[in-house]
Amino acid sequence: DVYRRDEIDRCHYPVFHQMEGVKVFEAGTGGDVIEEDLKRTLEGVTKEIFGEVEMRWNDDYFPFTSPSFELEIFFNGEWLEVLGCGVIQTKIIENAGLKQPGWAFGLGLERLAMVLFEIPDIRLFWSKDPRFIDQFKSGEIIKFKPFSKYPSSIRDISFWTGSQNFHANDFSEIVRNCISEDIIESVELIDEFVHPKTKEVSNCFRFTYRSMERSLTNEEIDKVHFKVRERAVDELGVVLR
């Protein structure tokens, strides 16, 4: 199991499961050779799992590899990251008592299942709703059949960030800590404005509230939304607009 701060949308969740792998080479093998082998191998793995899908590589950062990359596939009309990887840093190899260089990768199992079973929202994996759970059988790939969706409710929060150190993932962490169940479908930055004189930065985030299992009341949504506003001010030093 892995936990990390992350953005809030249908493809991200702070808790997920990851499969990892490592390949080592003979001592002295060049980094270019390792990188080429990494991409060729993982593209092959991706095609074996997902079929002939459109793929793209992006440069990324991971603390134990350099260079680092993420591999995305085009799924449900948007790009979905399925794995992160890179050439293992020399210090990591040496700390393990080895001399052989190599590469490593991590594959998110929920993302894999979302594509194979055509599941549109990662929150469903934590649902106890029998309409979801009873659709699947061990050892079989069964396409998910959507059941009735409960209505969504939209709220916005706009504030001056007040600091060059503001990071959207810190804000997402506050949002997650304000809810006791998964009632937020997404939090999206819809506007960013830089004041021409003061150079202060204003962000506007749009919240989509929707439960996977029941209808939400305006009262409970407003209660959570107000709590997010308060904690953003107290913990991040933002100034509400």
Side-chain angles (χ1 to χ4, degrees), residues 17 21 46 72 84 91 109 128 177 184 187:
H17 301 82
T46 302
E72 297 182 326
K91 185 177 181 181
L109 298 181
K128 297 180 181 179
N177 288 337
I184 299 180
V187 177

Side-chain angles (χ1 to χ4, degrees), residues 97-241:
L98 302 174
K99 296 182 179 180
Q100 302 99 315
W103 55 258
F105 77 96
L107 172 65
L109 298 181
E110 281 83 5
R111 301 273 179 83
L112 169 61
M114 287 179 72
V115 176
L116 293 179
F117 296 89
E118 298 183 2
I119 295 171
D121 194 315
I122 198 168
R123 293 180 300 164
L124 281 165
F125 291 107
W126 280 264
S127 172
K128 297 180 181 179
D129 193 323
R131 293 177 298 173
F132 175 73
I133 297 172
D134 292 347
Q135 290 191 34
F136 306 103
K137 297 179 181 179
S138 178
E140 297 183 32
I141 295 179
I142 300 172
K143 303 301 182 183
F144 170 66
K145 296 179 180 178
F147 44 85
S148 60
K149 259 194 171 182
Y150 293 97
S152 64
S153 183
I154 305 298
R155 301 285 192 281
D156 292 344
I157 290 180
S158 182
F159 52 75
W160 298 103
T161 60
S163 170
Q164 294 182 344
N165 295 322
F166 174 82
H167 197 288
N169 280 1
D170 294 330
F171 183 59
S172 295
E173 180 76 356
I174 286 176
V175 174
R176 292 192 188 280
N177 288 337
C178 287
I179 56 177
S180 58
E181 59 178 300
D182 287 325
I183 63 170
I184 299 180
E185 183 173 273
S186 65
V187 177
E188 178 186 6
L189 177 65
I190 61 170
D191 183 68
E192 184 170 82
F193 168 73
V194 180
H195 194 285
K197 293 183 178 179
T198 66
K199 303 304 179 183
E200 290 183 284
V201 178
S202 171
N203 283 174
C204 181
F205 288 90
R206 173 151 296 168
F207 288 58
T208 301
Y209 288 87
R210 190 201 314 262
S211 171
M212 304 300 296
E213 300 175 349
R214 63 185 180 88
S215 294
L216 301 174
T217 66
N218 283 326
E219 181 180 7
E220 63 181 318
I221 292 173
D222 290 342
K223 184 177 180 180
V224 170
H225 206 67
F226 185 77
K227 188 175 181 181
V228 170
R229 289 164 57 92
E230 282 190 323
R231 291 191 60 171
V233 171
D234 293 342
E235 299 179 28
L236 298 180
V238 304
V239 178
L240 297 175
R241 297 189 65 186

Side-chain angles (χ1 to χ4, degrees), residues 63-111:
F64 307 117
T65 57
S66 181
S68 301
F69 312 97
E70 66 173 14
L71 180 59
E72 297 182 326
I73 65 171
F74 200 66
F75 171 67
N76 274 357
E78 58 187 13
W79 289 100
L80 175 68
E81 179 190 351
V82 292
L83 61 85
C85 60
V87 178
I88 304 172
Q89 292 187 19
T90 302
K91 185 177 181 181
I92 304 297
I93 296 291
E94 293 175 347
N95 287 345
L98 302 174
K99 296 182 179 180
Q100 302 99 315
W103 55 258
F105 77 96
L107 172 65
L109 298 181
E110 281 83 5
R111 301 273 179 83

